[in-house]
């Protein structure tokens, strides 16, 4: 419980909605009624942003009838993107109250409140009935979750037989190399639980999920950040609507530490896909 309190505090920043609206105004978008794309710089808080989301979704079958659950949904950007792409109804669950409140406000601002619902809750105790979800997605959340066995057993509980769990998390490549904090997901090691892909696979197997595929996205991540850094250099600073708004004044240091550790081969973002047997 104290880990969850620390994690939620880490992601809580003052007047987030007010600062997003201000950034939208600066970017030339309508701060009262932005288009969903206007939010992409901030509402997909994971390596590669919406491109990484599409790269994972492209491997999945999603129709308007698919019941989707995005766990650790943050501001709900990935949930809204899935709903827009497939017409599916998407539920998001997140630990951090200000992300859920702000995400719900963003749903209303873009007119998607009937297609996406964000709930406050933990991946370790999902506020959903068993056997009700066809697809669970998770983007950059497991690094904050120590009890991966419980996470996978909760996902297995809510999935229907034949359902899919697709995730994209930062994982350990080299267990011995020391990590330099802060990172975007944690100021300090006390609430960072970056583990090798093997730990996810073991937790999945124990929960009863079957492994389907794995993809190391190290090169994609390094290319992505090279482009982002070049754009920032050219523009003389980050764009108004950007994930720096979610990371306080150490945003630059957090991202640089992450990129350095990926470059050094210590960690990398990986996709993993599992199925619940029929
Ligand atoms: C790096 S952000 C990613 C947010 C979102 N998935 C995205 O890509 O935009 C990590 C998110 O995981 C959430 N989180 C961490 N631990 C959680 C838990 N035990 N239960 C639910 N959400 C959790 C945090 O509140 C935060 O919103």
């Amino acid at each position: 419980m104290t880990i969850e309190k620390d994690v939620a505090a880490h992601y809580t920043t003052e007047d987030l909605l007010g600062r997003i609206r201000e950034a939208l105004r600066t970017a030339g978008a309508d701060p009262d009624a932005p288009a969903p794309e206007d939010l992409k710089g901030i509402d997909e808080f994971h390596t590669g942003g919406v491109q990484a989301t599409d790269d994972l979704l492209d491997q999945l079958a999603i129709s308007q009838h698919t019941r989707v659950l995005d766990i650790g949904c943050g501001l709900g950007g990935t949930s809204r993107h899935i709903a827009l792409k497939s017409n599916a109804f998407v539920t998001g669950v997140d630990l951090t109250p200000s992300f859920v409140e702000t995400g719900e406000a963003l749903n209303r601002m873009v007119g998607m409140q009937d297609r996406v619902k964000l709930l406050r809750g933990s991946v370790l105790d999902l506020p959903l009935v068993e056997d009700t979800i066809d697809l669970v997605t998770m983007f950059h959340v497991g690094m904050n979750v120590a009890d991966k066995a419980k996470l996978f057993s909760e996902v297995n509980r809510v999935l229907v037989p034949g359902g899919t769990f697709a995730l994209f998390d930062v994982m350990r490549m080299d267990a011995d190399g020391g990590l330099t904090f802060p990172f975007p997901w944690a100021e300090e090691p006390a609430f960072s639980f970056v583990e090798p892909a093997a730990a996810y696979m073991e937790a999945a197997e124990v929960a009863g999920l079957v492994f389907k595929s794995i993809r190391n996205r190290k090169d994609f991540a390094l290319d992505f950040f090279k482009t982002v850094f070049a754009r920032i250099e050219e523009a003389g600073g980050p764009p108004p609507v950007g994930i720096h708004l979610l990371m306080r004044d150490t945003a630059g240091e957090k991202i640089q530490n992450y990129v350095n550790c990926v470059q050094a081969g210590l960690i990398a973002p990986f996709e993993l896909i599992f199925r619940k047997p029929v």
Side-chain angles (χ1 to χ4, degrees):
M1 204 36 103
T2 170
I3 292 174
E4 294 193 339
K5 259 180 86 176
D6 287 347
V7 168
H10 169 77
Y11 288 111
T12 302
T13 53
E14 211 176 314
D15 189 24
L16 179 55
L17 184 59
R19 288 184 295 113
I20 292 175
R21 286 164 57 87
E22 191 52 46
L24 286 166
R25 198 174 286 119
T26 308
D30 183 341
D32 299 318
E37 315 81 83
D38 295 332
L39 300 170
K40 286 299 111 184
I42 191 171
D43 73 359
E44 302 254 11
F45 189 10
H46 49 259
T47 312
V50 69
Q51 180 61 57
T53 306
D54 278 334
D55 289 350
L56 183 60
L57 298 182
D58 285 349
Q59 300 166 63
L60 311 170
I62 316 179
S63 77
Q64 59 179 335
H65 306 297
T66 310
R67 290 159 295 178
V68 184
L69 171 66
D70 184 33
I71 58 174
C73 63
L75 292 170
T78 304
S79 305
R80 284 186 291 276
H81 188 66
I82 295 171
L84 279 172
K85 248 186 119 139
S86 62
N87 266 327
F89 182 84
V90 183
T91 306
V93 171
D94 199 279
L95 195 61
T96 304
S98 64
F99 275 178
V100 173
E101 286 155 20
T102 307
E104 279 283 281
L106 297 176
N107 283 344
R108 290 189 293 275
M109 284 158 65
V110 300
M112 293 187 69
Q113 66 274 28
D114 298 332
R115 303 169 67 182
V116 175
K117 178 74 197 154
L118 308 185
L119 306 171
R120 233 285 300 164
S122 170
V123 299
L124 301 177
D125 185 16
L126 289 169
L128 286 131
V129 175
E130 63 193 43
D131 289 1
T132 51
I133 299 295
D134 301 300
L135 169 66
V136 176
T137 55
M138 180 173 88
F139 287 78
H140 281 35
V141 180
M143 303 94 78
N144 285 129
V145 180
D147 192 348
K148 300 218 174 24
K150 180 70 176 154
L151 186 164
F152 274 87
S153 84
E154 273 299 272
V155 169
N156 185 58
R157 180 180 68 76
V158 300
L159 275 178
V160 296
T164 300
F165 182 25
L167 65 96
F168 181 51
D169 264 3
V170 179
M171 300 183 194
R172 263 286 188 177
M173 300 277 289
D174 172 353
D176 295 328
L179 301 180
T180 309
F181 285 78
F183 287 119
W185 61 88
E187 301 285 341
E188 41 169 305
F191 53 97
S192 177
F193 309 98
V194 182
E195 294 197 60
Y200 285 70
M201 293 193 210
E202 199 184 310
E205 194 179 341
V206 170
L209 294 174
V210 177
F211 168 74
K212 282 290 164 194
S213 67
I214 183 166
R215 182 157 66 149
N216 182 342
R217 307 242 61 203
K218 174 183 177 179
D219 293 342
F220 163 77
L222 292 177
D223 281 352
F224 171 77
F225 283 112
K226 200 171 151 194
T227 307
V228 169
F229 291 156
R231 271 199 213 125
I232 290 176
E233 170 109 29
E234 200 183 307
V241 183
I243 54 167
H244 58 281
L245 297 178
L246 306 173
M247 290 187 276
R248 304 204 181 87
D249 50 3
T250 49
E253 188 187 355
K254 285 170 177 157
I255 292 173
Q256 193 60 63
N257 285 343
Y258 172 44
V259 174
N260 290 347
C261 286
V262 173
Q263 219 145 22
L266 299 174
I267 55 179
F270 279 80
E271 294 168 344
L272 275 170
I273 301 178
F274 300 95
R275 289 265 148 72
K276 179 167 171 172
V278 179

